[in-house]
Amino acid sequence: MTLRPVLVNIKAVDDSAVGRFWAEALGWRVTSGGSGATAAHPAGFDWLDPSSGVCVDVIAVPEAGPTTKNRVHLDLATTSEAHQAELVARLRALGATPADVGQGDVPWTVLADPEGNEFCVLEPREIYRDTGPIAAVVVDCADPRAMARFWGEAIDWTLHAVSDDQAVWRSTDGVGPYLEFLRSPDVKTVPDRVHLDLVPGAGDDKAAEVARLRTLGATDLDVGQGDVPWTCLTDPEGHEFCVLSRT
């Protein structure tokens, strides 16, 4: 039984505009699935192929936001100080704005997309040299070790590090971004506008995978989704995520 992260799901009032922003920001293609869904993905991306990494899927919602700092965000990779400066300038020209999340004097730059979803443009770091444009999907949490226990069983990615301050995974194929749970004093108060979507492996049964997640500590989540082919859940700290059907 296997599950792997495949989509970073971002909610937006204008999915088309935010989807175009992320496609241009990452140097990816943009496609619209209609009915309020716009995806940004690299050329040749196949979400059912484990070697394809993850892409960004922007879903339309009626509520403007976020009203508080998201507990999930993207870190973007750079290769040099000049690249970092150039990328920040280009993103601001695309509609990104500076964001203050209490980061203080740090070597990375915190920005927000056109609807206020925060992300970071990192200074060059050797660990992210081969991730592509997204260095990491970062999740704030209270207890990284507890998250390591849950997510280590939930997904088939390789655990690279775990401590009191962080838990870090990457795909078993060593492609795409890292998944990082970082200790944060912030308390979750509202549903997040960014979350992960997982997909079962080839030959795995989605219902069985969902049942397995519940035994690990996941709980069902009703966000008014109705009768849909995916299942909405939360992890033991309340982070929302969805398990998609392969068909």
Side-chain angles (χ1 to χ4, degrees):
M1 291 186 177
T2 58
L3 285 167
R4 62 180 177 86
V6 64
L7 303 176
V8 178
N9 187 300
I10 301 175
K11 297 181 176 65
V13 173
D14 188 342
D15 66 283
S16 179
V18 174
R20 287 196 306 273
F21 168 84
W22 280 106
E24 293 185 41
L26 300 170
W28 289 354
R29 297 182 177 180
V30 62
T31 58
S32 176
S35 303
T38 302
H41 57 86
F45 180 83
D46 179 357
W47 67 285
L48 295 178
D49 181 356
S51 65
S52 289
V54 301
C55 76
V56 172
D57 202 25
V58 184
I59 303 298
V61 294
E63 306 87 4
T67 58
T68 187
K69 175 180 174 290
N70 284 320
R71 291 178 64 79
V72 182
H73 72 267
L74 297 180
D75 280 352
L76 305 190
T78 63
T79 57
S80 67
E81 290 183 5
H83 180 210
Q84 183 185 15
E86 292 165 2
L87 181 56
V88 168
R90 184 169 68 83
L91 292 167
R92 294 194 63 175
L94 291 173
T97 54
D100 186 350
V101 294
Q103 67 269 22
D105 183 17
V106 293
W108 58 88
T109 301
V110 184
L111 300 173
D113 74 13
E115 290 203 9
N117 299 298
E118 306 92 350
F119 64 97
C120 298
V121 181
L122 301 180
E123 76 284 4
R125 301 183 192 180
E126 181 65 19
I127 190 174
Y128 302 132
R129 68 189 184 281
D130 63 350
T131 61
I134 301 177
V137 181
V138 181
V139 185
D140 293 347
C141 71
D143 187 345
R145 291 189 183 277
M147 291 295 92
R149 288 191 292 272
F150 173 82
W151 285 95
E153 294 289 336
I155 61 176
D156 71 346
W157 282 15
T158 300
L159 182 64
H160 284 253
V162 60
S163 69
D164 290 341
D165 295 318
Q166 66 174 355
V168 180
W169 290 263
R170 198 181 187 197
S171 81
T172 53
D173 294 314
V175 298
Y178 288 80
L179 174 62
E180 302 177 355
F181 281 77
L182 303 184
R183 180 181 292 278
S184 170
D186 299 334
V187 177
K188 182 176 176 65
T189 58
V190 297
D192 217 321
R193 292 178 73 84
V194 184
H195 70 259
L196 284 172
D197 287 344
L198 313 180
V199 68
D204 287 330
D205 179 71
K206 172 180 167 288
E209 287 295 281
V210 170
R212 183 175 67 86
L213 291 168
R214 293 187 184 115
T215 66
L216 294 174
T219 56
D220 291 288
L221 174 66
D222 185 354
V223 292
Q225 67 267 26
D227 185 15
V228 292
W230 59 88
T231 301
C232 300
L233 299 167
T234 60
D235 74 11
E237 284 199 9
H239 302 107
E240 301 89 354
F241 67 97
C242 295
V243 179
L244 307 180
S245 170
R246 290 182 63 90
T247 57

